[in-house]
């Protein structure tokens, strides 16, 4: 159990490791680059959410980073579901969740890079 917890912590601190790991394992298994990329994105999103929420909490000295991300994800689900309902008259739940999850990957990746740079500069200037 300790190995599982430590692995999750390490993958959350450096979320590009699970991306690379899942990508190459899935590529060897299925031999399809597109599917391997999508699977790596899906798995890495979990670690990015945890990492970005921790960076947010650390930079802004707050405690609700995870809940804020969860709120934005729920709002995105509602907006995409509402748009699907207006356009098609029904909601395809799997497509909606997949769209929100992949959108979260893109936003969390950009947020991770931005918060990591801000956190690094903040640490450097705080130690001076």
């Amino acid at each position: 159990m300790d190995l599982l917890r430590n692995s999750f912590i390490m993958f959350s601190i450096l979320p590009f490791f699970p991306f690379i790991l899942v990508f190459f394992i899935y590529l060897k298994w299925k031999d399809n680059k597109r599917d391997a990329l999508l699977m790596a994105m899906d798995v890495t999103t979990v670690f990015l959410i945890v990492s970005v929420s921790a960076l947010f909490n650390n930079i802004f000295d707050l405690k609700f980073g995870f809940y804020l991300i969860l709120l934005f994800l729920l709002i995105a689900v509602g907006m995409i579901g509402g748009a699907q309902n207006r356009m098609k008259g029904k909601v395809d739940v799997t497509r909606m969740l997949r769209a929100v999850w992949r959108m979260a990957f893109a936003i969390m990746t950009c947020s991770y890079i931005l918060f990591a740079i801000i956190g690094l500069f903040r640490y450097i200037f705080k130690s001076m």
Side-chain angles (χ1 to χ4, degrees):
M1 197 65 174
D2 207 32
L3 176 67
L4 186 65
R5 183 175 55 103
N6 290 338
S7 298
F8 186 81
I9 291 170
M10 186 196 72
F11 287 153
S12 294
I13 292 171
L14 301 169
F16 52 87
F17 280 149
F19 182 86
I20 293 168
L21 189 68
V22 169
F23 179 78
F24 285 114
I25 289 173
Y26 200 84
L27 186 64
K28 283 286 189 187
W29 185 40
K30 293 287 187 175
D31 199 32
N32 186 341
K33 283 185 182 180
R34 181 181 181 278
D35 288 346
L37 179 67
L38 294 176
M39 179 59 73
M41 287 170 54
D42 290 343
V43 170
T44 305
T45 304
V46 174
F47 299 110
L48 281 169
I49 288 172
V50 171
S51 181
V52 168
S53 66
L55 285 170
F56 179 86
N57 290 343
N58 190 20
I59 289 172
F60 297 111
D61 293 325
L62 299 172
K63 300 291 182 215
F64 62 88
F66 180 74
Y67 301 111
L68 186 65
I69 292 171
L70 206 59
L71 176 67
F72 283 134
L73 289 175
L74 288 172
I75 290 171
V77 164
M79 290 176 67
I80 290 176
Q84 277 186 358
N85 191 28
R86 279 191 303 278
M87 291 173 62
K88 297 181 181 178
K90 64 178 181 159
V91 177
D92 186 1
V93 177
T94 55
R95 279 187 72 144
M96 176 185 60
L97 292 177
R98 191 178 309 130
V100 170
W101 198 247
R102 303 256 167 88
M103 183 180 60
F105 174 80
I107 292 170
M108 291 299 128
T109 300
C110 295
S111 299
Y112 177 80
I113 293 168
L114 178 70
F115 288 160
I117 291 170
I118 290 171
L120 181 65
F121 280 122
R122 191 169 174 220
Y123 176 77
I124 289 171
F125 289 123
K126 196 182 263 189
S127 64
M128 291 174 93

